[in-house]
Amino acid sequence: MGVVNVTPDSFSDGGRFLEAGTAIDHARRLVEEGADIVDLGAESSRPGADAVTAEEELRRLLPVLKGLRDLPVPVSVDTVKPEVMRAAIGEGAAMINDINALRAPGALEAVASAEVGVCLMHMQGEPRTMQREPRYGDVVAEVKAFLAERVAAAEARGIARERLVIDPGFGFGKTIEHNFELLRNLGRLAEMGLPVMAGWSRKSTLGAVTGRGPAERLAASVAAALLAVQHGARIVRVHDVAATQDALAVLAAMDGQYSREKR
């Protein structure tokens, strides 16, 4: 999954793709590099981020969605707002990626009647405050229990299980230790029988480990993506698609899945 942030304040590339034409070009470039899904976000969810109105989010998002209607891969929209979900689906979005796991009033209903994929993510708190003092007794058990509850809520509203993806929410209300405990135990989440998505790309935990800023975290991001796949992730959400694809090709070759075809 290749990331396109149509925002002025995302932690890794805020402002670079705020203009619709630039965002569209970047999305197409990610597909050329091998992205199987493109994820558009028009509201930053970085720690400390302020919320934006639905009107502003749609103003940023809709021109990009319209410009990507002919994209040969599914387009996902990263949003927590039911009104944005409905508008995005109306413009052809194939997936809703919700860091709030469809907990907002009306969110379940917004996606239930549409044949779109849904990613349910765990987050402790909300973006403005989630990293102040995250605490867990057993982070893996608590994240798994939360995701199981949200999956049950989705199914109860008629969202078929085969439409669902789960995400432990690395960096969303977690310390460095919590993040690595979840990474080591992704297999326990995969036991739920749903595809697991992992988003480590350029995140602050990698900066804490390496001492590098967001723009210098390529090697660490690729390493984290490989580890996530080895521990059970089916989707990795990344900014650097080409480098991640190359690394995953080497991993696949180790498993006997070598191919000379270039994506």
Side-chain angles (χ1 to χ4, degrees):
M1 176 182 277
V3 180
V4 180
N5 290 314
V6 193
T7 60
D9 57 344
S10 290
F11 78 96
S12 67
D13 55 8
R16 285 187 62 196
F17 310 114
L18 186 57
E19 194 273 320
T22 305
I24 291 166
D25 290 345
H26 185 59
R28 295 187 184 282
R29 189 176 309 112
L30 293 180
V31 174
E32 290 173 1
E33 292 179 359
D36 300 297
I37 309 169
V38 169
D39 191 46
L40 304 180
E43 178 179 23
S44 175
S45 56
R46 63 175 174 79
D50 290 325
V52 302
T53 64
E55 291 75 18
E56 175 61 17
E57 190 174 346
L58 288 169
R59 186 190 67 78
R60 299 172 183 174
L61 178 67
L62 291 183
V64 182
L65 262 178
K66 291 176 189 291
L68 294 175
R69 274 191 170 272
D70 64 342
L71 206 66
V73 303
V75 176
S76 168
V77 170
D78 183 351
T79 186
V80 301
K81 299 183 182 70
E83 54 267 56
V84 175
M85 295 175 190
R86 287 191 292 268
I89 292 166
E91 286 295 339
M95 182 175 186
I96 297 298
N97 180 15
D98 184 2
I99 65 171
N100 201 37
L102 300 181
R103 285 181 290 170
L108 284 164
E109 293 79 5
V111 301
S113 61
E115 289 302 315
V116 297
V118 180
C119 183
L120 303 170
M121 195 194 82
H122 175 275
M123 173 174 58
Q124 186 179 94
E126 47 91 23
R128 280 175 290 182
T129 61
M130 63 187 179
Q131 287 303 104
R132 288 182 186 170
E133 286 187 41
R135 294 182 181 178
Y136 301 87
D138 181 333
V139 65
V140 178
E142 290 173 45
V143 168
K144 185 174 183 178
F146 170 86
L147 291 172
E149 185 275 324
R150 296 315 300 158
V151 168
E155 290 184 299
R157 292 300 178 97
I159 301 172
R161 191 174 181 85
E162 55 266 26
R163 291 166 56 189
L164 298 175
V165 174
I166 54 174
D167 183 342
F170 294 108
F172 284 81
K174 280 97 175 172
T175 64
I176 296 167
E177 291 77 12
H178 294 146
N179 287 325
F180 280 103
E181 184 68 9
L182 283 165
L183 180 59
R184 281 189 291 269
N185 290 280
L186 274 186
R188 287 176 58 187
L189 301 184
E191 290 170 359
M192 293 172 63
L194 294 167
V196 176
M197 183 159 78
W200 273 84
S201 186
R202 302 183 186 176
K203 287 191 172 174
S204 60
T205 289
L206 300 178
V209 169
T210 64
R212 298 187 181 276
E216 300 176 315
R217 296 174 189 163
L218 172 60
S221 297
V222 171
L226 284 179
L227 288 166
V229 170
Q230 288 180 308
H231 284 77
R234 295 284 302 277
I235 304 170
V236 284
R237 184 178 183 273
V238 304
H239 299 85
D240 302 289
V241 170
T244 309
Q245 278 285 12
D246 285 351
L248 290 172
V250 175
L251 181 62
M254 283 289 290
D255 294 331
Q257 300 174 38
Y258 170 69
S259 172
R260 288 187 174 88
E261 293 182 9
K262 185 173 177 59
R263 292 185 58 92

